[in-house]
Amino acid sequence: AVAQNRVTINPGEGKTIINRHIYGHFAEHLGRCIYDGFYVGENNTKIPNRNGVRLDVVEALKKMKIPNLRWPGGCFADTYHWKDGIGPKSKRPTIVNTWWGGVTENNSFGTHDFLNMCELLGTEPYLAGNVGSGTVQDLTEWVQYVNFEKDSPMSNLRQQNGREKPWNVRFWGVGNEAWGCGGNMKPDYYANIYRQYSTFMNPQVGKERIFRIASGASSDDYTWTETLMKNIPVNMLEGLAMHHYSVFSWDEGKKGSATDFTESEYVRTMKQALRMDELIQKHSAIMDKYDPQKKVALVVDEWGAWYNVEPGTNPGFLYQQNTMRDAVLAGATLNIFHKHADRVRMANLAQVVNVLQAVILTNGAKMLLTPTYHVLEMYNVHQDATLLPVDIKTDDYEVGQEKLPAVSASASRDKAGKVHISLVNIDAGKPQVVTVGLNGLKASNVTGRVLASAKVQDYNTFDNPNKVKPVAFNGAKLNGDNLTVTLPPASVVVLEL
Ligand code: AHR
């Protein structure tokens, strides 16, 4: 059939900013994310580092423009007692990481290490507080320890530990997955607990008002969102979380291989990823009832693909490879976030290094950038740009009984006036030709980059780290008010006008 794909840009309708914080990441004390991941220890003389943090990782994350980083979990956050991770490292207690592999955690990477690393990265920290097994006092003291400038027991303790000025942390999670690993709470119970914690986490304690994020729903648990929105006053809540992983079976060992998958498995993963659009629409509709002015942000603070771990690795470490499937998934998901930029103002891909849909993998001194990294880096032109809404008419991509849209798209105008269009060909079987209607946008020139590979199963290895990487794109032709773009199978393209 003749391709019918048409993307029409509405340049006159730009009014919403794509918050750069939807490009956030997540670092949990899980597997090899921190230890044997980005943190190699201060005494490491083999891998170049600053205070134990790998400099190659720092450079890559800065280039990607990482806007925020969530820490220390995840499920780990509700087992974490922050005072275990301050003061002289030799004196810090060890704990058992009960959720992730039952390994011993020596607390050598703690609050100072994390917040100083964020300064090095130029990224905003997002601290996830312990509600499940902590106390109101612990969490309010953590806020004071990192944010209070004047004389107080907590700020004095911070200074004794070597940090004069507060870090002024804005983003605070009030527990994580309270319906599950965060305490198996019921929504109305958690709503009360949230009200209690957030009351004492005085938003004014530092220079900047803090931004409190309530533990949110898992995928389509709309009752959770409804109960929280109904019971928590809007002035006690700045963000409401939601987690959605692209996984087609939660059964152990049945999540499929990250690299060795059929086209039908690819489609099943993508179907889960594209559900994000409906999930956001429905959670947003509930939020609109209680917060029509959209004061509360929907924070998708865990998203990404989840497969079986790589053969031979610890099942509790969630280490998986990353292929072009993941790149397509990331591009399409970010386009969905853009579309809902008025409500979705923050999100965190799980997780930054060596865990789940990581942007970076490490092995000893070696490091590689995954296909997902390249999408986040190519798309960073959309950060804080004005969303230009698009109308999309797409062909179907059919495999067996399943049908998906073939094309996903988004557009924005940056502060310098440049327009960027991100296009994803979800169809892994064939190229797609897309007509982009510019609707009066004056363009004299089009440039761009493409991420594609011979097979959707392709990935980067430590021996061949540049197999999948972006290259200049010459598949876009400008003719008057239209662009004709030929997208290779399973590809991600970002154009600049
Ligand atoms: O990202 C891995 C885990 O997934 C997190 O710890 C938890 O919040 C979620 O269930």
Side-chain angles (χ1 to χ4, degrees), residues 26 28 30 74-75 100 176-177 181 243 245 302 306 318 350-351 356:
F26 175 28
E28 179 164 12
L30 192 180
C75 295
W100 306 117
N176 168 73
E177 297 195 348
C181 64
H243 290 176
Y245 284 100
E302 288 184 31
W306 192 323
L318 310 185
Q351 297 193 8
L356 298 177

Side-chain angles (χ1 to χ4, degrees), residues 187-197 231-232:
D188 47 356
Y189 180 78
Y190 174 72
N192 282 329
I193 292 274
Y194 175 87
R195 292 167 63 120
Q196 182 190 6
Y197 272 77
N231 291 299
I232 303 171

Side-chain angles (χ1 to χ4, degrees), residues 216-363:
S218 172
S219 299
D220 59 1
D221 184 355
Y222 302 115
T223 307
W224 186 273
T225 296
E226 179 90 46
T227 312
L228 264 54
M229 288 305 295
K230 191 167 161 186
N231 291 299
I232 303 171
V234 163
N235 65 4
M236 293 184 80
L237 182 69
E238 286 74 35
L240 174 60
M242 193 264 275
H243 290 176
H244 176 61
Y245 284 100
S246 302
V247 55
F248 53 70
S249 165
W250 280 107
D251 292 347
E252 202 44 54
K254 291 200 180 143
K255 298 188 185 77
S257 160
T259 52
D260 185 9
F261 54 89
T262 61
E263 191 171 357
S264 136
E265 284 180 298
Y266 163 72
V267 169
R268 285 169 73 199
T269 306
M270 284 308 300
K271 199 174 165 190
Q272 288 303 321
L274 297 175
R275 266 183 82 204
M276 186 67 89
D277 193 18
E278 178 191 323
L279 296 173
I280 293 173
Q281 266 175 43
K282 293 191 173 167
H283 286 289
S284 298
I286 297 168
M287 295 175 81
D288 285 349
K289 274 203 293 181
Y290 300 95
D291 172 30
Q293 292 178 295
K294 299 189 195 290
K295 289 189 175 150
V296 181
L298 181 59
V299 177
V300 188
D301 57 8
E302 288 184 31
W303 68 275
W306 192 323
Y307 310 114
N308 292 341
V309 297
E310 287 306 309
T313 65
N314 186 329
F317 282 13
L318 310 185
Y319 176 75
Q320 64 192 38
Q321 251 293 358
N322 193 294
T323 66
M324 267 312 296
R325 166 170 63 175
D326 300 284
V328 170
L329 188 156
T333 304
L334 291 166
N335 286 346
I336 293 171
F337 290 160
H338 292 178
K339 179 175 160 194
H340 300 286
D342 57 347
R343 183 64 88 175
V344 180
R345 302 198 287 268
M346 188 164 177
N348 301 78
L349 177 57
Q351 297 193 8
V352 69
V353 175
N354 293 334
V355 171
L356 298 177
Q357 193 174 341
V359 289
I360 291 173
L361 301 178
T362 67
N363 180 4

Side-chain angles (χ1 to χ4, degrees), residues 374-390:
H374 293 303
V375 174
L376 278 278
E377 186 274 322
M378 288 162 72
Y379 269 54
N380 70 24
V381 287
H382 289 300
Q383 292 189 17
D384 288 336
T386 304
L387 177 74
L388 302 179
V390 290

